[in-house]
Amino acid sequence: MPGMPVAALRVGALLLALAGWPATASASPPAAGGQLRQAQRDAAEGRRLLREGRYDEALFRLNSAYAAEPTGETLMAIGEAQRGGGRTLEAYASYERVLHDHAVELSIEQRQAVQSALAELGAKTGTLRLAIDRDANAAVDGDMIPPAARGQPIRLLIGAHRVAVTKAGAAAAVYDVIIHRGKEAEVPPPAVSAAPAAPVAAAVVPAAPPPALAPVEQPAPAPGGVAGAPAS
């Protein structure tokens, strides 16, 4: 969303990138005639800026247009602007939303383009599932995750992420999670049952041999006599 701080955009990306479908914009009341004409001008200007590679400016215009007149074509352009600007998670969520909210509007070529974009963006992401208690709070890379996201796979970029889980009356638990392409990590990680310890054979130590007896020295024989005989 234009004008939102970076941290808020990251939080929005996490929420929109849930595997569950995002809320539809079609729930908004229809735009009045003047708003509709302005939305069409914004959409046209946004597409022009997009062709020029001015992604942030294009996104501002396209978001304004979509808020007043939500169409599949404008949402596709939003996804393209997000992808061009390196906003991988937001772009993935936008393309998913195109298929969910505007499938009947899409031509075969447009559907193929969306699916191709999702495949490209999906190769840069994986998902995380928070398997935590309902009364616990969680933050991913410092961004708080609302309770509504619990149990839903949260799409994240491939690589290392830090998850902090807090609960009243308990110390915070911090998990370092590696997100792999197309795979899902879980926090807390599934418990691994410890294998029973192998029996350790008792070492048999041989008894030490008895100490050797020192030889007893015999007295030397006297000259001309027998050893041990008294001298005459």
Side-chain angles (χ1 to χ4, degrees):
M1 308 331 143
M4 293 179 67
V6 175
L9 285 172
R10 289 204 307 268
V11 174
L14 288 173
L15 299 182
L16 289 175
L18 299 179
W21 301 113
T24 62
S26 55
S28 303
Q35 291 177 315
L36 187 59
R37 287 190 293 274
Q38 182 60 46
Q40 292 169 347
R41 287 193 293 269
D42 284 337
E45 178 66 8
R47 286 192 289 271
R48 183 187 71 78
L49 293 167
L50 182 58
R51 289 192 296 270
E52 296 177 1
R54 297 160 65 179
Y55 300 116
D56 288 341
E57 296 172 75
L59 194 55
F60 180 87
R61 290 285 191 169
L62 293 167
N63 277 326
S64 297
Y66 189 77
E69 185 187 15
T71 67
E73 186 177 0
T74 299
L75 189 52
M76 282 185 65
I78 288 173
E80 188 176 347
Q82 290 166 332
R83 182 169 56 156
R87 303 184 184 196
T88 301
L89 299 177
E90 292 97 323
Y92 193 100
S94 293
Y95 283 119
E96 274 195 321
R97 189 170 177 177
V98 169
L99 293 179
H100 184 259
D101 292 354
H102 303 283
V104 296
E105 304 172 33
L106 302 179
S107 65
I108 295 177
E109 292 77 12
Q110 287 175 324
R111 182 181 293 273
Q112 290 174 341
V114 171
Q115 291 171 337
S116 176
L118 283 172
E120 176 191 322
L121 295 166
K124 302 176 182 180
T125 66
T127 56
L128 170 71
R129 188 181 295 272
L130 296 174
I132 61 177
D133 295 337
R134 292 184 179 181
D135 57 345
N137 295 313
V140 178
D141 299 331
D143 294 327
M144 292 300 298
I145 304 301
R150 312 271 172 80
Q152 296 284 346
I154 300 171
R155 188 161 296 277
L156 295 172
L157 295 175
I158 290 172
H161 298 270
R162 176 154 290 189
V163 181
V165 178
T166 57
K167 189 176 180 180
V174 178
Y175 302 89
D176 289 317
V177 180
I178 303 297
I179 298 298
H180 298 279
R181 180 174 63 184
K183 296 186 178 180
E184 183 173 284
E186 187 172 334
V187 169
V192 179
S193 58
V200 179
V204 179
V205 180
L213 298 177
V216 178
E217 295 185 3
Q218 298 293 328
V226 180
S232 57

